[in-house]
Amino acid sequence: AVAGTGGWLVACRPGVPWVRVAFEAGVVALAAAAIGTVAQIVHLARVTPDSLTYLVAAGGLDRVGGLAALDPSSILKRLLVIPSLEALGSLSGLGYVASLMPLFGASALALTWRLADAALRTTALPRSWRTWLVVAAGAFLLTTNRVVFNTAYIHTHLVFATFLLLGVGMSWLAVQARRWELLVPAALGFAALPMLRAEAFIVAAIFLVPILTEARVPRRWRWVVAAATAATTVGWFGVAVPPHVEAGDLEITGPVYSNVLGAAVLLVLVAATYPARLRRLVRSAPLLVIAGLAAFVTLAALRDPDLFMSSAAAMVGNLVVHGGWGTFWVISVPLLILASTIVAGPARRFFLLPIAGYPMAILAFAFLREGAYRQGTGDSGNRMMMHIVFLVVLTLIAAVADAATGEQDHELAAAPASRR
């Protein structure tokens, strides 16, 4: 965490004296210590039966020191990141790290603020307007029950959302500012995802493909982003997992080697950006990914219409009434539709398009697990919507920035030549 924070500060502040960088890193460390201390004293943690399975896995890693402590189901469903982090709870005697989720929550909010501020700085909006917009975005998040709940909930959702925000948000900022060193923390964010959740690689691919096929990103940096995700995917699913799972799980289309195959496809996709005759096809790859998900869901729905109808109804009901979201999605969805008419450039490709395809991926997961979603805050389909919450708010801020920039350009074009 210290190395990552320091690297991020250096990357974001080129030319700043090391004394200032050290000071800012110290402020971050003190803030983390304060949040961690409060979380340990107040005991904010919230648990469900799913939480306990992660803590059982964490206890096994602590006692045995390796994957031999875990059964195949736990390895495939709970993976590595959360059990490893929660294993540190043995040091306090609690069996879990009470400060972990509050720290990730603070990180996600701070990173959303940083990226939103970067988007608004490109406009001619007064500083007071920019401040109020960022404050309003933060209030929108902090008055949403599911966001606040997840800052104390022992599960993968907030951690996944934070790393996804880091990967997508930093990639967008790198293109906006032409500062390609920001793709280093972006690559690390994406690299953490495959070891977080069973469906993580599919979600990562939805958001990665637009970045890997973006013409404005230099090819060598595309290799960096793709290689980081491929390395962790192959290392986990190709090397660490196979000796500890059943033979039936090792089929090429199974939950292990299918991820390795997906990692290879990402590398092939980057290589396909070189031949001129393939560039147009590669450029449309993000749409092809979403179209592929839609085709899968359509065919699966024809085979099992009851599962489709039950899952779709549960998803809509949860987002509007039963999922604990309040008015978040009721407000966000119309605003995203409006934003689709405004957002341009990398924000449209990196934010809007993957977010639009994400609900289709959640429907596909219902068929992959062969179980319909249900109404309620604890439903997995409802919980997975947490993964894109910060990106949704950032997309809306980017839309405001693009609208303000467009208005500014329009006024400049209409001005007399002498004024221009």
Side-chain angles (χ1 to χ4, degrees), residues 24-38:
E24 292 181 350
V27 171
V28 172
L30 287 174
I35 293 170
T37 301
V38 171

Side-chain angles (χ1 to χ4, degrees), residues 71-159:
D71 62 82
S73 176
S74 180
I75 291 174
L76 293 175
K77 291 183 179 180
R78 308 307 168 198
L79 285 76
L80 184 65
V81 174
I82 297 300
S84 297
L85 293 174
E86 295 291 0
L88 296 171
S90 62
L91 299 176
S92 66
L94 292 175
Y96 66 92
V97 182
S99 59
L100 182 63
M101 296 307 163
L103 284 171
F104 267 102
S107 298
L109 288 169
L111 184 56
T112 303
W113 167 80
R114 169 71 178 85
L115 293 168
D117 183 67
L120 294 172
R121 281 179 181 274
T122 62
T123 71
L125 289 173
R127 183 173 182 178
S128 60
W129 284 36
R130 298 201 307 265
T131 300
W132 280 111
L133 281 169
V134 173
V135 169
F140 191 36
L141 289 167
L142 289 174
T143 53
T144 300
N145 175 276
R146 292 295 89 186
V147 175
V148 177
F149 178 83
N150 274 279
T151 59
Y153 180 32
I154 298 177
H155 213 293
T156 55
H157 302 297
L158 181 61
V159 181

Side-chain angles (χ1 to χ4, degrees), residues 9 44 100 199 229:
L9 286 169
L44 299 172
L100 182 63
E199 79 286 350
T229 303

Side-chain angles (χ1 to χ4, degrees), residues 6 18 130-131 196 212 218 230 255 283 306 308 320 334 347 349 354 359 361 405 415:
W18 277 100
R130 298 201 307 265
T131 300
L196 265 167
L212 299 182
R283 177 75 177 169
D306 291 338
F308 173 78
V320 177
R349 189 172 177 85
T405 303

Side-chain angles (χ1 to χ4, degrees), residues 195-252:
M195 296 182 291
L196 265 167
R197 292 183 59 83
E199 79 286 350
F201 186 85
I202 298 175
V203 177
I206 294 173
F207 288 89
L208 255 178
V209 169
I211 298 167
L212 299 182
T213 57
E214 172 54 54
R216 282 169 284 195
V217 178
R219 287 195 183 97
R220 65 188 181 94
W221 285 106
R222 295 184 218 171
W223 282 114
V224 169
V225 178
T229 303
T232 55
T233 303
V234 174
W236 174 245
F237 289 102
V239 179
V241 170
H244 302 285
V245 297
E246 305 293 339
D249 294 323
L250 298 178
E251 298 176 359
I252 192 64

